[in-house]
Amino acid sequence: MRGLLPIAAASWASGALAAKPSSTEANVAACCSKLAEGFPSQVVSTSDPLYSSWNQRWADTAELKPNCIFRPQSSADVSAAVKVLAKGAGKSPEDRCPFSLVAGGHTPWAGANNIHTGVALELSQLNQVVISNDRSYVQLGAGARWHDAYVKTDGEGLVYPGGRCPDVGVAGLTLGGGYSWFSGEMGFVADNVVNYEVVLASGEIVNANEKQHTDLWEALKGGSNNFGIVTRFDMRATEHDQQVYGGLVIVPASLTGEVLCALHNFTDDSTGVHKTAGLTIEYYIDTVTGDEQILLWLIDTDVSASHASLQPFFDMEPKYLNQVYQTSIADYPASIPPVSRVLMADATFVNDLEAIKAVYEVTVEVKDSLSHVADLVWDFQFEPLPRHIIEASNARGGNVLGLGDAEDDMLIVFIMPLWQDAQYDADINNAAARWVECVQQATNALGNGHRFEFANYAAGFQDVMKSYGPANHKFLRDVAKTYDPKGLFQKAVPGGYKLDKKPAKT
Ligand SMILES: Cc1cc2nc3c(=O)[nH]c(=O)nc-3n(C[C@H](O)[C@H](O)[C@H](O)COP(=O)(O)OP(=O)(O)OC[C@H]3O[C@@H](n4cnc5c(N)ncnc54)[C@H](O)[C@@H]3O)c2cc1C
Ligand SMILES: *[C@@H]1O[C@H](CO)[C@@H](O)[C@H](O)[C@H]1NC(C)=O
């Protein structure tokens, strides 16, 4: 409340009698009723029978209770809503409604894509998937899911980078940068966006691309929800037979030594660059049954290639599962059904075998510190980020992630613990924060740390925008000031990774 005094005093001095800002509750009530008036069939309140189905998220941990949910059908609807939300009860310039944005709803932490005491904008109806006339790009609505897009473009003979799990949303994945099976050839998903259609804080609908609003175009390549509501992504497309070779191999955790060594080899560009081959190593440790598996997600986006870089993984013995075959992108198996309680946290480091082993040790130690958590599944994953991905990214103009001048092959690592009972939330959150610190300490001590924190697997406590480095962080703040001078997306949209993160509560 302290901040209000100077404003009131200034308006008093200028002769105007400033009205006191309304309470958050009064603003939200005003926004919900204005939206319901303008769009009667597109707004639900908590008492509506449709409310719970419109309020679903991938993880229970993300479910909050907004006062009403608005489902726009078009970018014009989004624009109208932003004007309502920015005004709130409208008695004072300080009035506005807190709101949240949800596309595919896959961010697991509470508050990233949902809100208490506020309005939820649910973008699922903005789900068009349209190939441009010249076939050079695909228009993807912000509410589209990747699998939907792949199915709609199946048989069309072209590909574009995107998510590797079917139900994930186009908007969230792309605004966080986006790691794809095509990253070796095409860089990050965001690097391939040739145009964003964006609703700004003023309600104006603009296009951001190489020629118009270029700074906004650049800022959105990793800048998340800090600048506006993206309603459509035009994603560069490439002619391709849409066939891939790969799938899932599962081996026992006793092969850890071999798997980590093979991971290091695969991520090492100095022993050969294989742009079409992709890999993710996923540990799945069920602490209840004691079952420990390593899931090897393997793919070659060129079915006619030799797949030589993947051969060490195909050859591993024994195997619990061997599901490797040629398939269309639309049929690549990777669905992860909705989950109960889950958290993600991530870190990045240089591809070095000692560092990989140190990260593995730290990750197992943190799991061991949670032995009191009933039903804990300790899942963690390594994603290669070899230098050739960065080169492909730079060749497409790069992004704001701050990786463009990284000279080393790197790896992203993230944990994804799953559990059932909310009483353990705080313990797991604290353990995850400790894990990030320990991984950074261990890799820094070996001279192999990196500051980058990938938005797409980050926890709510991570300061993602700052991790892009000082120059990118300043650029993002400047662009936000240009396009959102009153800070609507900083102040009224609390969810996600903000430009100036408040220190975490301890
Ligand atoms: C099973 C699974 C598989 C995954 N696979 C991958 C993968 O292959 N590659 C990868 O990079 N990541 C992957 N991720 C991470 C994923 O990209 C992030 O969780 C991402 O945020 C999900 O996008 P969404 O639209 O589903 O999420 P949401 O939670 O709906 O949105 C994410 C964030 O974006 C903001 N936002 C949403 N829509 C808009 C919009 N239109 N304009 C502005 N801001 C908006 C929201 O406010 C929110 O903060 C995966 C996650 C899961 C759970
Ligand atoms: C890793 O590469 C080295 C050197 O090429 C090779 O000797 C070793 O067998 C490889 N390890 C695995 C597990 O593939």
Side-chain angles (χ1 to χ4, degrees):
M1 294 307 270
R2 265 190 303 146
L4 298 177
L5 195 59
I7 294 169
S11 359
W12 180 253
S14 72
L17 202 67
K20 236 173 81 187
S22 306
S23 67
T24 305
E25 285 74 13
N27 279 319
V28 171
C31 284
C32 286
S33 63
K34 270 191 240 172
L35 288 169
E37 234 168 74
F39 304 90
S41 64
Q42 292 167 238
V43 178
V44 296
S45 61
T46 49
S47 58
D48 195 292
L50 283 172
Y51 180 86
S52 66
S53 70
W54 287 23
N55 198 34
Q56 268 168 20
R57 299 295 183 273
W58 176 67
D60 294 348
T61 32
E63 276 171 23
L64 297 178
K65 206 171 172 195
N67 297 56
C68 64
I69 307 172
F70 174 56
R71 263 192 176 174
Q73 302 282 349
S74 64
S75 37
D77 288 1
V78 174
S79 164
V82 167
K83 287 179 188 161
V84 167
L85 295 163
K87 200 156 181 254
K91 293 194 181 117
S92 139
E94 292 289 293
D95 282 348
R96 57 174 95 81
C97 289
F99 64 103
S100 61
L101 298 168
V102 63
H106 272 62
T107 315
W109 56 274
N113 57 24
N114 209 343
I115 195 160
H116 267 317
T117 318
V119 177
L121 259 55
E122 201 270 4
L123 305 172
S124 66
Q125 306 304 297
L126 307 176
N127 61 355
Q128 79 268 33
V129 177
V130 180
I131 298 170
S132 70
N133 288 333
D134 69 357
R135 294 170 58 83
S136 71
Y137 65 91
V138 183
Q139 298 187 336
L140 300 170
R145 311 273 185 136
W146 289 108
H147 186 243
D148 218 29
Y150 300 152
V151 168
K152 284 183 181 151
T153 50
D154 194 29
E156 299 287 350
L158 43 79
V159 295
Y160 42 92
R164 300 166 303 157
C165 283
D167 278 342
V168 176
V170 165
L173 182 137
T174 307
L175 287 167
Y179 184 95
S180 140
W181 287 134
F182 287 99
S183 285
E185 290 177 280
M186 305 179 187
F188 287 91
V189 177
D191 305 337
N192 296 273
V193 180
V194 294
N195 179 62
Y196 297 87
E197 183 188 74
V198 194
V199 176
L200 301 177
S202 62
E204 190 189 349
I205 304 173
V206 301
N207 284 290
N209 52 54
E210 202 171 1
K211 298 210 170 75
Q212 300 163 274
H213 305 297
T214 310
D215 49 355
L216 179 59
W217 177 60
E218 287 169 349
L220 287 168
K221 292 172 184 281
S224 194
N225 64 12
N226 288 299
F227 311 96
I229 303 175
V230 178
T231 45
R232 198 187 75 228
F233 299 79
D234 294 344
M235 192 72 70
R236 180 204 299 254
T238 308
E239 302 295 326
H240 191 279
D241 63 9
Q242 299 184 319
Q243 294 291 301
V244 297
Y245 180 77
L248 176 62
V249 172
I250 303 183
V251 299
S254 57
L255 293 194
T256 287
E258 200 181 330
V259 168
L260 296 184
C261 184
L263 168 68
H264 173 250
N265 282 1
F266 180 89
T267 310
D268 182 356
D269 270 2
S270 71
T271 60
V273 173
H274 37 80
K275 293 187 182 174
T276 60
L279 163 73
T280 290
I281 306 279
E282 175 175 7
Y283 273 79
Y284 188 92
I285 302 177
D286 185 329
T287 67
V288 180
T289 61
D291 190 22
E292 301 197 358
Q293 305 181 342
I294 313 176
L295 283 64
L296 312 172
W297 295 98
L298 309 165
I299 199 166
D300 198 326
T301 59
D302 178 358
V303 286
S304 63
S306 73
H307 321 311
S309 63
L310 296 170
Q311 203 59 47
F313 300 97
F314 294 142
D315 290 346
M316 278 178 192
E317 291 296 344
K319 294 184 184 76
Y320 289 154
L321 180 87
N322 190 14
Q323 244 178 36
V324 172
Y325 41 75
Q326 182 176 328
T327 170
S328 69
I329 287 166
D331 289 336
Y332 184 82
S335 175
I336 304 189
V339 294
S340 172
R341 311 200 77 74
V342 61
L343 179 150
M344 293 189 198
D346 68 51
T348 307
F349 62 101
V350 172
N351 182 43
D352 166 82
L353 192 53
E354 288 315 305
I356 293 174
K357 287 180 184 162
V359 169
Y360 170 82
E361 295 298 335
V362 162
T363 309
V364 170
E365 275 166 34
V366 173
K367 176 211 57 159
D368 291 343
S369 76
L370 291 169
S371 58
H372 61 291
V373 177
D375 293 336
L376 179 69
V377 170
W378 190 248
D379 187 295
F380 60 100
Q381 310 193 17
F382 293 96
E383 280 184 357
L385 192 58
R387 176 67 201 160
H388 71 263
I389 292 186
I390 305 301
E391 277 161 16
S393 171
N394 290 343
R396 278 163 156 70
N399 52 52
V400 293
L401 305 182
L403 296 167
D405 52 11
E407 283 169 8
D408 299 297
D409 302 314
M410 295 189 288
L411 288 155
I412 294 170
V413 59
F414 68 95
I415 52 172
M416 191 173 82
L418 301 145
W419 69 103
Q420 308 282 334
D421 193 330
Q423 68 164 305
Y424 300 117
D425 289 9
D427 284 2
I428 292 172
N429 205 60
N430 292 338
R434 203 165 65 238
W435 174 83
V436 172
E437 261 174 45
C438 291
V439 167
Q440 289 175 343
Q441 264 169 25
T443 54
N444 283 335
L446 292 165
N448 289 318
H450 198 282
R451 60 169 152 67
F452 178 62
E453 296 177 355
F454 189 19
N456 286 1
Y457 307 121
F461 58 74
Q462 296 191 262
D463 196 349
V464 169
M465 296 295 129
K466 207 172 168 193
S467 86
Y468 296 174
N472 287 302
H473 192 212
K474 177 176 186 308
F475 171 72
L476 293 175
R477 293 170 64 167
D478 290 347
V479 175
K481 281 199 192 98
T482 305
Y483 289 93
D484 181 13
K486 291 184 188 154
L488 182 73
F489 287 95
Q490 296 310 303
K491 293 176 192 151
V493 183
Y497 305 104
K498 308 317 290 185
L499 294 173
D500 293 298
K501 190 173 164 53
K502 292 182 194 74
K505 276 182 235 130
T506 45

